[in-house]
């Protein structure tokens, strides 16, 4: 174990009691010890954590270590709440904490808190830059930004649009991924003749803040020159699209996104959002579950690279437009065509041959 033994002296009484309890934990049918694993997610403006990460992680743990318990909490974007959620799960003696930090800087301290209680930490999706993190799983995040911007730029170029104004609605300043998306997107856009006329970091990725900022911009920029909007994810994209439609801008210029949320895929079918980035949360949650079980059993998790000394796995994101809905989210069983194709999307779905 990397952390110093001295730290163990700082164990709270609750954590000691919990460790004693976990020492007596049950075994499953195959004789393996049933585990207790904390799964702490950062916010709920984005639907992925509750709709996919949580159930997929729980299912993977049940498969790998039947009878194990997953302690789930969502910090709703509040780092102080996440700190108390961590303290409360530590009091229940988890074998591993899987942490997606609401605030990456504060997350560095949370890793020390967990390690002090003898509990290893997996950094989930957002990097926590603390060398005592046991494992990190995410996507190639700069590549997410490249895909967003390149898909937008290629689309505009195909339409014969090579100059004009763009707005950039980035993600949360507390999320290191948002900086990487932004960096990847800039790499593409800065090499074109398009002009970024306004750029915003959206607190906590909230749709309402993205909407309000775009509404403000539409009051000052030349609307006729606006040829597209970079939005960092589908939550911010929903605010952007609401602002554009609310201002009577029609047709809605191409807007990017990320996460392949159901409503975003429906906007893509309807033509009010141009693209999203599909990241297989099943792959990510399963990978994290395998690493969690390995760490809990004292084994090394499988990894393919290192990030600042932390064993790492980075998964591959895919650009999703109206052209490949069937080959991505439908083929992978994320959504059925019936779920996507509501009554008002019937004819658009038929045109795309979604079934
Ligand atoms: C990022 C994550 C995205 C998006 C966003 C908002 O860190 O990679 O998938 O959901 O946070 O939570």
């Amino acid at each position: 174990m990397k952390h110093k033994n001295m730290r163990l002296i700082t164990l709270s009484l609750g954590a000691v009691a919990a460790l004693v309890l976990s020492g007596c934990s049950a075994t499953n049918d195959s004789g393996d010890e049933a585990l207790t694993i904390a799964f702490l997610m950062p916010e709920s403006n984005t639907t992925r954590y509750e709709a996919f990460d949580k159930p997929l992680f729980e299912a993977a743990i049940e498969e790998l270590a039947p009878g194990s318990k997953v302690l789930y909490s969502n910090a709703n974007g509040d780092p102080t709440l996440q700190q108390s959620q961590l303290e409360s799960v530590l009091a229940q003696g988890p074998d591993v904490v899987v942490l997606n930090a609401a605030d990456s800087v504060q997350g560095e301290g949370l890793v020390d808190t967990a390690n002090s209680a003898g509990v290893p930490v997996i950094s989930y999706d957002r990097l926590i830059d603390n060398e005592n993190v046991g494992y990190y799983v995410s996507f190639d995040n700069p590549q997410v930004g490249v895909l967003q911007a390149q898909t937008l730029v290629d689309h505009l170029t195909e339409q014969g649009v090579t100059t004009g104004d763009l707005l950039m609605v980035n993600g949360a300043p507390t999320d290191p991924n948002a900086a990487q998306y932004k960096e990847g997107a800039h790499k593409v856009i800065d090499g074109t003749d398009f002009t970024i006329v306004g750029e915003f970091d959206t607190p906590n990725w909230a749709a309402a803040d993205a909407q309000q900022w775009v509404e403000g911009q539409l009051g000052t920029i030349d609307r006729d020159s606006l040829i597209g909007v970079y939005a960092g994810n589908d939550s911010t994209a929903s605010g952007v699209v609401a602002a554009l439609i609310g201002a009577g801008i029609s047709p809605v210029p191409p807007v990017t996104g990320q996460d392949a949320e159901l409503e975003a895929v429906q906007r893509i079918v309807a033509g009010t959002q141009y693209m999203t980035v599909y990241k297989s949360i099943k792959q990510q949650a399963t990978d994290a579950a395998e690493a969690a079980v390995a760490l809990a059993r004292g084994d090394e998790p499988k990894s393919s690279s290192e990030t600042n000394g932390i064993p790492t796995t980075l998964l591959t994101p895919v650009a999703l437009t109206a052209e490949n809905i069937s080959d991505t989210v439908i083929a992978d069983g994320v959504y059925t065509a019936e779920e996507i194709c509501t009554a008002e999307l019937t004819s658009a779905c038929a045109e795309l041959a979604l079934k």
Side-chain angles (χ1 to χ4, degrees), residues 42-43 46 48-49 125-126 141 175 177 181 205 233 258-259 279:
E43 57 96 12
T46 305
R48 59 169 284 182
Y49 305 110
D125 198 66
R126 300 179 182 178
N141 293 315
D175 177 353
N177 290 349
Y181 305 144
W205 297 91
N233 77 350
Q258 172 183 192
D259 288 337
K279 303 191 296 191

Side-chain angles (χ1 to χ4, degrees), residues 74-254:
N74 188 309
N76 293 325
D78 178 351
T80 312
L81 179 59
Q82 190 162 59
Q83 163 122 31
S84 57
Q85 289 173 337
L86 175 71
E87 283 161 7
S88 118
V89 295
L90 288 178
Q92 298 173 66
D95 296 283
V96 182
V97 169
V98 179
L99 177 60
N100 190 336
D103 178 309
S104 60
V105 176
Q106 188 221 27
E108 294 171 29
L110 298 186
V111 173
D112 292 334
T113 304
N115 283 181
S116 300
V119 182
V121 176
I122 291 176
S123 175
Y124 187 81
D125 198 66
R126 300 179 182 178
L127 177 66
I128 304 169
D129 201 359
N130 178 327
E131 59 173 1
N132 294 319
V133 166
Y135 181 71
Y136 168 55
V137 58
S138 190
F139 285 80
D140 179 342
N141 293 315
Q143 177 62 11
V144 169
V146 167
L147 285 176
Q148 292 170 318
Q150 195 64 56
T151 310
L152 175 66
V153 165
D154 287 350
H155 174 63
L156 290 168
T157 311
E158 272 163 32
Q159 311 275 301
V161 181
T162 52
T163 58
D165 295 345
L166 294 172
L167 291 173
M168 278 188 85
V169 183
N170 304 305
T174 47
D175 177 353
N177 290 349
Q180 292 190 299
Y181 305 144
K182 180 159 62 166
E183 181 193 311
H186 265 288
K187 231 181 5 192
V188 174
I189 297 169
D190 295 353
T192 68
D193 289 332
F194 299 118
T195 310
I196 298 164
V197 288
E199 187 164 359
F200 178 60
D201 291 336
T202 313
N204 208 17
W205 297 91
D209 291 274
Q211 177 170 351
Q212 205 183 17
W213 181 78
V214 173
E215 284 167 355
Q217 293 294 300
L218 291 174
T220 57
I221 63 169
D222 171 13
R223 292 172 178 215
D224 295 337
S225 302
L226 184 69
I227 43 94
V229 182
Y230 168 89
N233 77 350
D234 290 338
S235 163
T236 48
S238 80
V240 168
V241 170
L244 296 169
I245 291 176
I249 296 180
S250 175
V252 174

Side-chain angles (χ1 to χ4, degrees), residues 237 241 244-245 252-255 263-264 266-274:
V241 170
L244 296 169
I245 291 176
V252 174
V255 176
E263 286 185 10
Q266 290 169 329
R267 285 193 294 272
I268 290 173
V269 173
T272 53
Q273 181 171 331
Y274 181 64

